[in-house]
Amino acid sequence: MASGCKIGPSILNSDLACLGAECVRMLDSGADYLHLDVVIQSNLTHLGFFFFGKDTGSVCHFLLQIILQMRKQRHFVPNITFGHPVVESLRKQLGQDPFFDMHMMVSRPEQWVKPMAVAGANQYTFHLEATENPGALIKDIRENGMKVGLAIKPGTTVEYLAPWANQIDMALVMTVEPGFGGQKFMEDMMPKVHWLRTQFPSLDIEVDGGVGPDTIHKCAEAGANMIVSGSAIMRSEDPRSVINLLRNVCSEAAQKRSLDR
């Protein structure tokens, strides 16, 4: 059985200068888990930035430079920014209960498994396009005590994920191109979700990108049960209501599928 309908705010959409407090706000608003995007960095060393650097500008400015750079290049690259030091700090502040789903948008996901596990990550979600040996990586993630998530970009066919579906805990179907926010939800990704739900009814299926009150019905009807939502939750004056709406729509669709069997 899939683990039920769960809502995970994407904290990259939060006020990054108050990251810990923002996570607490989301958990207090009923979030089931936290979705932490490990964003990519490319050729940014010339900016003089180091991870949360001293006297090098605000975190928000730092992330803005990364996002602007990613608009120019939509591929995974080696360097990491939002990394395990943040995860470790959040784990210390928030305690052991919150579930951290790490979305690893990096070119060599193998190298960050152990650091993320030590830092306190619960689930390590890597992109199928970013590794040549998914089986070995899945094994390494499990041996480091984390659940396994496997993500595919919009241009990757869902059948490419299928051979690994019985070895993972969750499949992530991206509904925007990974790397930067503000993109329109890709409704044409829903057949991928539906195919996975039909072929692997017990698999947790996550959607990420442009998901909110206006698009949740399409995701839920297709079979998604883990919902990542960024600005729709983080920028709402009443995030609890948004989280409840997303969860209720998702739960009702799951119940309907169960009755239709």
Side-chain angles (χ1 to χ4, degrees):
M1 290 290 291
S3 62
C5 296
K6 296 182 178 180
I7 311 301
S10 175
I11 66 168
L12 192 58
N13 290 267
S14 68
D15 180 353
L16 295 170
C18 310
L19 195 55
E22 288 281 76
C23 290
V24 170
R25 183 171 70 95
M26 290 298 101
L27 294 168
D28 287 347
S29 296
D32 299 294
Y33 66 102
L34 298 174
H35 182 84
L36 292 84
D37 287 302
V38 177
V39 297
I40 58 178
Q41 173 183 343
S42 177
N43 300 323
L44 292 178
T45 54
H46 67 282
L47 296 174
F49 289 114
F50 183 67
F51 180 80
F52 278 56
K54 300 175 182 177
D55 303 322
T56 55
S58 69
V59 176
C60 293
H61 182 61
F62 179 44
L63 266 295
L64 176 61
Q65 297 301 319
I66 294 169
I67 291 168
L68 290 174
Q69 185 72 14
M70 285 190 286
R71 287 183 181 275
K72 300 177 184 177
Q73 50 177 52
R74 303 178 186 179
H75 55 82
F76 302 116
V77 292
N79 297 326
I80 194 165
T81 54
F82 190 104
H84 56 280
V86 167
V87 179
E88 183 178 11
S89 296
L90 289 175
R91 181 59 75 198
K92 288 178 180 177
Q93 181 174 352
L94 302 176
Q96 296 302 309
D97 288 340
F99 188 91
F100 291 173
D101 171 30
M102 307 306 305
H103 181 189
M104 305 298 296
M105 291 182 282
V106 295
S107 62
R108 293 176 57 199
E110 294 84 358
Q111 74 183 91
W112 303 108
V113 172
K114 190 169 186 62
M116 284 296 179
V118 172
N122 299 105
Q123 181 163 278
Y124 194 93
T125 300
F126 68 94
H127 273 264
L128 189 54
E129 304 89 352
T131 182
E132 295 181 356
N133 195 340
L137 182 50
I138 290 169
K139 183 174 182 289
D140 191 28
I141 294 168
R142 291 214 182 280
E143 289 178 348
N144 277 274
M146 295 181 289
K147 289 189 172 184
V148 181
L150 186 55
I152 53 172
K153 295 164 68 174
T156 302
T157 62
V158 69
E159 290 81 5
Y160 187 41
L161 183 149
W164 312 104
N166 289 320
Q167 300 180 39
I168 63 177
D169 297 289
M170 186 197 77
L172 165 56
V173 175
M174 292 297 300
T175 48
V176 297
E177 288 291 344
F180 54 93
Q183 300 177 71
K184 185 179 179 181
F185 173 80
M186 295 180 175
E187 186 176 349
D188 56 347
M189 296 298 106
M190 294 303 96
K192 294 183 182 181
V193 176
H194 181 263
W195 187 87
L196 284 170
R197 178 58 65 213
T198 301
Q199 298 296 317
F200 307 99
S202 298
L203 183 65
D204 281 332
I205 303 173
E206 184 177 67
V207 287
D208 178 11
V211 182
D214 295 335
T215 54
I216 183 59
H217 288 84
K218 295 180 176 64
C219 299
E221 289 168 5
N225 69 301
M226 296 187 70
I227 309 299
V228 175
S229 183
S231 57
I233 295 176
M234 302 299 307
R235 298 177 187 173
S236 171
E237 294 182 359
D238 187 1
R240 179 177 293 275
S241 293
V242 178
I243 289 172
N244 286 339
L245 184 153
L246 299 177
R247 187 186 293 112
N248 288 341
V249 171
C250 186
S251 296
E252 288 171 5
Q255 185 176 18
K256 184 177 184 299
R257 280 195 304 274
S258 179
L259 294 173
D260 290 343
R261 285 178 190 154

